[in-house]
Amino acid sequence: RSGQIARLSKAGTPAWQHKLPSLGGVARAPVFLPKKQGFLLVLTEDGEAWIVEAASGLLEGPWAMKSPPVHGPIATPDGVTALFRDETRALWTTRLRPEVEPPVAAEDDTDAAAQRGSSSGMAVLRRRAGEGTILESPWSNWVVEVGATVYTVRVKDSPAAAFTVLREGEWTYVAWEAPHSLIPRGRLWIADSKGLRSFLP
């Protein structure tokens, strides 16, 4: 959280390290950009984005989003996405400057898919939205149900659980990532008190 990022060698010594000028530091794990091989997106708690080359440590940035992040960064087939406190959503593909989707006014947001945040290859169920505790993947027959102590993942119309995940404190959201060549059955994302975790069904 001090704003320091580094890559360690096999011997455990730093191959490179940087001190980012951030008051909030870096509390979110850097994420590889799917469309820019070998490069990571680093997002600070201040809402500043940096791109770093994993091999050399070459650093580009910052790009200021002017709002703290609340969800993400998350890798999707389209790029790396994050949601910010001012309700803007940003998508990084290959450049430091992201594509920014402005907030949607509540009175205009009548599309259920938009309410669930299904842009950028993700279908999302947020606790604060009051949409219930069950999320079906729009691309497959997988379903996740948020329970009091566990998340239950099952096949649609089947009462039997395929697997369960222990719930850690309050949950923020669950999400299904769209299938692609590397994950043909999609991927489940869970955000709760343990942080952001992913599971392959």
Side-chain angles (χ1 to χ4, degrees), residues 1-200:
R1 288 187 177 270
S2 64
Q4 293 205 45
I5 58 172
R7 179 181 178 181
L8 299 181
S9 67
K10 292 181 180 179
T13 57
W16 54 258
Q17 56 185 355
H18 295 291
K19 169 79 171 174
L20 303 182
S22 168
L23 293 175
V26 182
R28 297 158 192 270
V31 177
F32 277 102
L33 292 166
K35 295 187 176 183
K36 191 170 184 176
Q37 188 173 4
F39 287 80
L40 293 148
L41 177 77
V42 179
L43 191 60
T44 73
E45 294 304 299
D46 306 316
E48 291 189 336
W50 303 74
I51 289 180
V52 59
E53 186 178 15
S56 68
L58 180 67
L59 194 64
E60 180 185 2
W63 176 266
M65 288 301 299
K66 300 179 182 177
S67 181
V70 291
H71 298 307
I74 299 173
T76 75
D78 299 321
V80 174
T81 183
L83 179 67
F84 295 82
R85 186 175 294 166
D86 63 1
E87 298 294 329
T88 59
R89 185 179 297 275
L91 176 71
W92 284 268
T93 53
T94 60
R95 301 182 306 149
L96 178 63
R97 181 174 181 171
E99 299 170 18
V100 178
E101 178 183 323
V104 180
E107 60 269 23
D108 297 332
D109 194 6
T110 55
D111 183 357
Q115 294 234 355
R116 295 199 327 194
S118 59
S119 60
S120 300
M122 302 288 285
V124 184
L125 175 69
R126 296 183 177 87
R127 179 172 60 89
R128 64 176 174 81
E131 297 172 358
T133 56
I134 297 177
L135 178 64
E136 297 182 6
S137 169
W139 304 283
S140 69
N141 60 350
W142 287 105
V143 177
V144 59
E145 183 171 358
V146 182
T149 58
V150 297
Y151 306 91
T152 302
V153 181
R154 56 182 172 81
V155 175
K156 187 178 179 181
D157 298 327
S158 172
F163 65 92
T164 59
V165 178
L166 183 64
R167 178 177 151 184
E168 300 285 348
E170 289 292 343
W171 64 287
T172 305
Y173 69 86
V174 292
W176 286 109
E177 181 181 342
H180 54 83
S181 59
L182 297 178
I183 48 169
R185 302 171 78 179
R187 190 193 326 256
L188 172 65
W189 293 89
I190 292 173
D192 57 18
S193 298
K194 197 169 183 179
L196 184 62
R197 297 173 283 164
S198 68
F199 303 88
L200 295 176

